[in-house]
Amino acid sequence: QVQVVESGGGLVQPGGSLRLSCAASGSPFSTYSMTWYRQAPGKQRELVASITYSNLTNYADSVKGRFTISRDNAKRTVYLQMNNLKAEDTAVYYCRHPLSSWGPGTQVTVSS
């Protein structure tokens, strides 16, 4: 089984940046895709970005051009660089591996 732990969230002003990290434990990592999701209060969880084992990436239209997903297989970690943050980006951000359940998530709050 794979466990994931997200970190790097916090409070940031609109237009600011944050870098989220997701550390995965367990044997399988490098050959699997990784995905970031987010969920705002009262809203449906949505896919934010994903990255395959071969570094093919996909982004939600709402974050494309602002967010960048990357991975470091040696560190068993996936990152989400978030630039030009907007209030609507406020949510709990989750990282998932195909064999993991939901981790604790990390809160991102964009507010002045």
Side-chain angles (χ1 to χ4, degrees):
Q1 297 298 312
V2 174
Q3 302 292 324
V4 295
V5 179
E6 304 92 341
S7 63
L11 175 64
V12 65
Q13 294 185 337
S17 298
L18 285 173
R19 188 193 193 204
L20 306 184
S21 297
C22 172
S25 62
S27 294
F29 181 79
S30 63
T31 61
Y32 289 81
S33 63
M34 296 290 291
T35 304
W36 284 98
Y37 297 82
R38 68 185 181 187
Q39 187 168 25
K43 301 198 70 175
Q44 193 173 127
R45 184 183 295 113
E46 63 176 339
L47 188 150
V48 177
S50 63
I51 183 167
T52 71
Y53 74 95
S54 58
N55 288 323
L56 295 176
T57 58
N58 185 58
Y59 299 92
D61 288 341
S62 59
V63 307
K64 193 172 185 178
R66 300 187 296 120
F67 291 10
T68 302
I69 188 171
S70 62
R71 65 191 297 162
D72 186 332
N73 291 336
K75 294 182 171 63
R76 302 175 63 84
T77 301
V78 63
Y79 305 96
L80 186 67
Q81 178 67 47
M82 306 185 295
N83 298 325
N84 192 26
L85 283 161
K86 305 176 183 297
E88 52 263 41
D89 296 318
T90 296
V92 177
Y93 284 71
Y94 301 92
C95 159
R96 285 202 78 175
H97 179 285
L99 299 179
S100 77
S101 58
W102 297 109
T106 186
Q107 176 72 51
V108 172
T109 302
V110 184
S111 177
S112 58

